[in-house]
Amino acid sequence: MILFNFVSIKAGGGQQNTLSFLQNIKFDHLDFKYIVACTEGTLVHKYCIENDIATFVVQNSMKARLYYEFFSFFDLKKRYNIKGIFTIFGSAPIISPKVYKISGCAYSNIFQPEIDIWGYLGWFKKTIKKLVDFFRIFSLLQSDEIILETPFLQKKAANGLLKNKKVSVIEMAPSKLVTDKLKNASSVDLNNDVYTLLYLSGPQPNKRVDKFLDVIYFLNKQSDKKFILKITMPENSVYFIDVLLPKIKELSLQDYIRNIGTIAPQDVSSVIQTADAIVNVALIESFSNNWVEAWASRRLLISTDADWSKASCKNAALYIDVFEAEAAAELIKNTFSNQIVFNEYLDNGSKRLEEMPTSKERTQQYLYLLNNSLGA
């Protein structure tokens, strides 16, 4: 029996990819039995219930999570004869001895310490985040095999933190939940007087939505067209209330920002089709669903100008520096003003997408690895 450890999967791209994985293996003839460890009330938990998948459910509380990490595995191993643990994102339970562990890792900041991802925090909160990173590294180093999402990260890891570990690369794929609904997506019309830029993101400061507001300000100042930024923030989040709302008011962007709240995975495709471009200007990412979703829907991708993003997106993104907001706005405006250049980005995105595995192919790579490494 293999334990699929999906307890840490609660939202975002990790949730989309986990659900795609479970969907893809639903009708496969597997050479092994498995049980899914998941958090109570999550979409992963609900999917398992609806599809009669064996589960070990952890309550959605810090106390229950800590108990799971340090104590639950002994009972799980005895009850289900667990031979191996597999995670798509995250590691095996902290205390889980004498089993083979395959861990998927998307914590790109631990491989690029030169990027201060927690620099916006005060001393105490920054210390807490660094402690969390320490435990992530500790857990990761207990793994027998580690899966990364890009060759760029593999090179970083092999020259540093994971130089003595077996490291594989399984590239990201567009979520099946999204791409199936994007096959007939409408085309972007550059003759419109209003353009919509979509930033699919939760309230993580690393995403730098607040910095992109400066770009929106200059876009609407420079252009005779109207540029709307559509965001997906929970309105009760501290980041939205204390950071975004004051800046929206300061820059008088009330007519240019639309917050549509948190989006369920099954609704992502329909939201994408309301946009003309997809934005991701994060400080650092491992890989982003935003990228492949932009390419699959033939939307312009606006991305951070950085080595890690260029390694993945190549010539399929418009790269900007959010700290040079006026110049970034000029780049975006000029791209929307030139149909040939705009279409070239879309065509490059389609080509980049063809180079990547499909959701089904990605699942098959996982299963091959499981069979090969765990003898499943």
Side-chain angles (χ1 to χ4, degrees):
M1 180 78 78
I2 294 175
L3 174 66
F4 289 169
N5 183 33
F6 299 154
V7 171
S8 64
I9 306 298
K10 298 179 182 178
Q15 179 176 253
Q16 286 188 30
N17 285 292
T18 301
L19 290 171
S20 286
F21 173 79
L22 290 172
Q23 281 186 335
N24 286 332
I25 67 172
K26 182 178 179 180
F27 300 108
D28 276 2
H29 175 71
L30 303 179
D31 296 330
F32 58 88
K33 293 182 179 180
Y34 64 91
I35 181 170
V36 174
C38 57
T39 297
E40 185 178 27
T42 60
L43 290 180
V44 173
H45 180 210
K46 292 175 183 176
Y47 181 87
C48 290
I49 292 173
E50 292 167 0
N51 291 274
D52 297 320
I53 297 173
T55 57
F56 180 85
V57 180
V58 178
Q59 290 183 340
N60 194 4
S61 71
M62 180 61 72
K63 181 180 178 181
R65 177 65 182 274
L66 288 173
Y67 188 88
Y68 171 75
E69 293 289 343
F70 287 95
F71 302 108
S72 292
F73 182 73
F74 297 103
D75 178 53
L76 269 169
K77 185 180 181 183
K78 183 178 179 181
R79 194 191 315 177
Y80 298 104
N81 192 27
I82 302 296
K83 300 295 185 183
I85 303 174
F86 166 66
T87 69
I88 291 180
F89 296 106
S91 303
I94 293 173
I95 306 298
S96 50
K98 298 181 180 179
V99 291
Y100 196 91
K101 303 166 190 173
I102 301 175
S103 301
C105 180
Y107 303 126
S108 53
N109 64 300
I110 68 177
F111 304 117
Q112 301 179 77
E114 68 277 9
I115 298 177
D116 187 9
I117 191 173
W118 310 124
Y120 65 94
L121 294 172
W123 177 85
F124 179 75
K125 290 185 177 179
K126 186 174 183 177
T127 301
I128 296 299
K129 290 291 188 181
K130 285 187 173 291
L131 280 173
V132 171
D133 284 341
F134 172 81
F135 278 107
R136 284 173 173 168
I137 293 170
F138 174 82
S139 297
L140 195 63
L141 292 177
Q142 308 312 304
S143 302
D144 298 282
E145 190 163 354
I146 295 156
I147 304 169
L148 300 177
E149 295 176 323
T150 67
F152 175 83
L153 276 186
Q154 183 187 37
K155 184 177 179 180
K156 285 278 187 179
N159 292 330
L161 191 62
L162 304 181
K163 60 184 177 182
N164 297 318
K165 290 289 181 180
K166 184 178 181 181
V167 179
S168 302
V169 174
I170 296 181
E171 283 199 282
M172 284 284 286
S175 169
K176 192 174 186 296
L177 298 170
V178 175
T179 54
D180 282 355
K181 298 178 182 178
L182 286 177
K183 292 176 181 177
N184 299 311
S186 57
S187 301
V188 173
D189 186 356
L190 295 186
N191 293 317
N192 289 334
D193 293 325
V194 180
Y195 299 130
T196 298
L197 312 184
L198 174 64
Y199 204 145
L200 288 162
S201 166
Q204 296 95 10
N206 171 58
K207 298 291 187 177
R208 304 194 295 189
V209 179
D210 57 312
K211 302 299 182 187
F212 194 71
L213 293 180
D214 295 318
V215 179
I216 293 296
Y217 169 79
F218 283 111
L219 260 176
N220 284 288
K221 187 176 180 180
Q222 295 173 3
S223 179
D224 57 352
K225 300 290 184 79
K226 185 175 182 179
F227 284 83
I228 301 292
L229 177 63
K230 188 176 288 187
I231 59 177
T232 56
M233 294 283 167
E235 293 191 348
N236 62 348
S237 68
V238 173
Y239 182 68
F240 181 72
I241 295 170
D242 292 348
V243 179
L244 293 186
L245 283 182
K247 189 160 187 178
I248 290 169
K249 186 176 181 180
E250 175 193 345
L251 297 176
S252 300
L253 291 176
Q254 291 90 336
D255 293 335
Y256 303 95
I257 308 299
R258 305 278 188 272
N259 183 27
I260 58 175
T262 304
I263 304 301
Q266 64 269 22
D267 296 327
V268 169
S269 58
S270 59
V271 173
I272 287 173
Q273 293 186 65
T274 68
D276 302 298
I278 307 295
V279 180
N280 187 329
V281 289
L283 175 62
I284 187 173
E285 294 270 26
S286 172
F287 201 92
S288 173
N289 279 338
N290 299 155
W291 300 343
V292 289
E293 288 160 358
W295 301 331
S297 61
R298 287 187 62 82
R299 264 55 184 172
L300 175 68
L301 174 61
I302 301 171
S303 179
T304 303
D305 188 355
D307 54 358
W308 52 266
S309 56
K310 288 180 176 178
S312 292
C313 299
K314 301 180 181 178
N315 61 351
L318 174 63
Y319 298 103
I320 66 167
D321 181 352
V322 291
F323 290 101
E324 297 290 341
E326 194 166 359
E330 184 77 16
L331 273 174
I332 295 170
K333 183 194 74 173
N334 290 343
T335 303
F336 271 89
S337 300
N338 190 321
Q339 185 79 63
I340 294 175
V341 172
F342 192 90
N343 285 346
E344 187 175 345
Y345 281 114
L346 305 191
D347 292 340
N348 290 340
S350 297
K351 292 173 185 175
R352 182 69 186 97
L353 197 63
E354 290 175 0
E355 297 169 2
M356 302 178 70
T358 64
S359 176
K360 186 70 174 178
E361 288 168 344
R362 189 173 192 243
T363 298
Q364 291 304 315
Q365 290 178 33
Y366 281 130
L367 295 180
Y368 174 81
L369 193 148
L370 285 169
N371 283 309
N372 190 52
S373 297
L374 294 172

